[in-house]
Amino acid sequence: TEPLDVERIRRDFPVLEREFDGTPLVYLDNAATSQTPEPVIDSITDYYRRYNANVHRGLHQLSQEASIAYEEAHDRVAEFIGASGGREEIVFTKNTTESMNTVAYAWGLANLEPGDEVVLTEMEHHASLVTWQQLAKKTGAEVKYIQVDDEGYLDMDHARELITDDTAMVSVVHVSNTLGTINPVSDLADLAHDHDSLIFVDGAQSVPHMSVDVEAIDADFFAFSGHKMCGPTGVGVLYGKRHLLEEMQPYLYGGMMISKVTFEDSTWHDLPWKFEAGTPVISQGIALAEACDYLDEIGMDRVEQHGERLAEYAYERLSEFDDVDILGPPGDDRAALVSFNLDTVHAHDVSEILNSHGVAVRAGDHCTQPLHDKLGIPASTRASFYIYNTQEEVDVMVEALADARELFA
Ligand SMILES: Cc1ncc(COP(=O)(O)O)c(CN[C@@H]2CONC2=O)c1O
């Protein structure tokens, strides 16, 4: 695939011009949140400048325009992830976390009971791990974890052992935000479906970075966030197979999500509005559709190739040092991130030093504490890449690590 034009792309991101006392920003924290290009910024300001109105087809021009843009944003997102059911299979939430909780409470509470099992993986983000763990306590279901092997891959033999006819839900991260592992979600979906279990795929780190087709995966539910894919914060997506969303009762009640309300009872609006109670994430949803256009214009195959090449380059550079321990799979078999530790320096101190060089990385447990416990480390430093990062920026990060060694060794 023809590489993307990173210099041209960088000109779309005003934040990349930031300097700190003359030191240019090197933004390598994209797994936490991505930066926002001009077309997406313009989409947000254009909405508030020209057609800000509450949706659900108010009988005035502004509301009509806002309603149509908001509804069509659902269609655009459906197309971006291959959801042939269109807007009826796309619920806009606040973020991936809320998408997860929506399924846990709107499906889980009604369908899980003692004896049922929810199968997760040891590399799950807290958004799914804590959600299913707490829901299991409420319903008497049991949570089990597919093991991660020493290289950071899912142990598929263990998966085949854990997923049985007692499994009601498999909830698995597509790309680990800590390890960079790309999980075989289609195989896991087959395994789940062979045992009449549903599967929920956490796509927060995959949708921004690679072409995702939820129907090819055959995910029953799929979640991701706008802010990780050049979109604004405040909009997440829950994809659900139409028949499942149809069967599910809402778990947030109020205006907009109803059809008829009497003092005695209420009926619900059509999909997806049934799951969008109150005034929804209007400007954010419309801007997310713009982000889909922006990424598609670059081409998701180029986006994927660029991120994985940078991750491989970072892996190679970091491997030059014998005091660096890198988490997860080999450099040529991972998504666009590298988490690592320096033998003698705590991740927080590494992050501090890198920051003094203008380099933004994330230090901590990346909302995967159980995984860090399993690895026997309190934290790690994570560099994560996107379409506007360069090999030169990786070099800046690697050179800055020399400082960390001197200061803290
Ligand atoms: C795999 C994964 N799942 C779920 C989430 C939750 O997304 P929201 O915060 O949008 O609900 C994240 C966010 N990644 C975290 C956020 O900061 N750093 C990270 O790695 C994630 O990486």
Side-chain angles (χ1 to χ4, degrees), residues 29 31-33 94-98 100 123-128 173-178 202-205 224-228 235 362 366-367 382:
D29 194 23
T33 200
K94 190 168 61 264
N95 50 31
T96 301
T97 303
E98 184 183 339
M100 284 273 164
M123 62 171 89
E124 289 311 301
H125 183 282
H126 293 164
S128 64
V173 66
H174 192 172
V175 168
S176 166
N177 65 310
T178 294
D202 170 354
Q205 298 293 348
F224 56 101
S225 295
H227 68 92
K228 296 182 191 284
V235 58
R362 178 94 12 189
H366 318 303
C367 305
R382 181 188 65 194

Side-chain angles (χ1 to χ4, degrees), residues 63-64 146 185 217 262 282-283 323 329 333 365 368-369 376 392:
S63 179
Q64 289 294 316
I146 301 171
V185 286
I217 294 169
T262 67
I282 306 169
S283 65
D323 65 343
D333 188 23
D365 56 51
T368 58
Q369 278 182 34
E392 291 71 24

Side-chain angles (χ1 to χ4, degrees), residues 69-86:
Y70 182 69
E71 290 166 19
E72 289 178 351
H74 287 70
D75 300 331
R76 181 65 185 91
V77 171
E79 184 195 357
F80 192 73
I81 60 169
S84 59

Side-chain angles (χ1 to χ4, degrees), residues 13-230:
F13 292 81
V15 76
L16 299 179
E17 290 155 25
R18 285 293 307 272
E19 294 191 352
F20 313 115
D21 301 330
T23 306
L25 165 67
V26 174
Y27 184 76
L28 303 179
D29 194 23
N30 293 284
T33 200
S34 65
Q35 294 303 337
T36 316
E38 294 287 8
V40 173
I41 297 169
D42 291 347
S43 162
I44 295 165
T45 52
D46 180 49
Y47 168 79
Y48 288 109
R49 286 208 166 96
R50 265 187 348 98
Y51 61 110
N52 173 40
N54 213 329
V55 290
H56 284 273
R57 304 273 178 166
L59 295 178
H60 62 77
Q61 183 60 24
L62 281 190
S63 179
Q64 289 294 316
E65 290 179 19
S67 299
I68 290 165
Y70 182 69
E71 290 166 19
E72 289 178 351
H74 287 70
D75 300 331
R76 181 65 185 91
V77 171
E79 184 195 357
F80 192 73
I81 60 169
S84 59
R87 63 179 66 175
E88 294 176 351
E89 297 185 315
I90 300 294
V91 178
F92 281 170
T93 61
K94 190 168 61 264
N95 50 31
T96 301
T97 303
E98 184 183 339
S99 299
M100 284 273 164
N101 278 272
T102 298
V103 172
Y105 286 92
W107 175 86
L109 271 188
N111 289 281
L112 290 179
E113 55 191 21
D116 287 336
E117 294 176 1
V118 177
V119 174
L120 308 177
T121 77
E122 290 179 328
M123 62 171 89
E124 289 311 301
H125 183 282
H126 293 164
S128 64
L129 194 151
V130 179
T131 303
W132 290 113
Q133 173 196 79
Q134 295 307 310
L135 193 90
K137 291 178 187 301
K138 291 183 192 318
T139 57
E142 190 184 348
V143 171
K144 296 188 170 179
Y145 298 92
I146 301 171
Q147 284 165 2
V148 174
D149 70 20
D150 296 344
E151 272 202 300
Y153 291 109
L154 272 192
D155 179 338
M156 288 305 284
D157 291 336
H158 192 227
R160 278 181 280 277
E161 188 190 313
L162 277 193
I163 298 172
T164 68
D165 292 345
D166 291 332
T167 308
M169 175 66 82
V170 175
S171 190
V172 58
V173 66
H174 192 172
V175 168
S176 166
N177 65 310
T178 294
L179 302 171
T181 312
I182 301 168
N183 288 319
V185 286
S186 299
D187 297 344
L188 286 160
D190 292 346
L191 213 44
H193 295 151
D194 288 349
H195 292 281
D196 293 330
S197 166
L198 298 180
I199 182 162
F200 194 136
V201 177
D202 170 354
Q205 298 293 348
S206 60
V207 171
H209 293 275
M210 59 186 69
S211 179
V212 167
D213 181 336
V214 291
E215 293 183 356
I217 294 169
D218 198 14
D220 295 296
F221 298 107
F222 197 100
F224 56 101
S225 295
H227 68 92
K228 296 182 191 284
M229 54 182 285
C230 298

Side-chain angles (χ1 to χ4, degrees), residues 309-321 326 331:
R309 281 186 178 167
L310 280 175
E312 185 171 14
Y313 180 71
Y315 192 98
E316 283 163 10
R317 291 278 352 245
L318 289 168
S319 300
E320 290 164 12
F321 306 95
I326 300 174

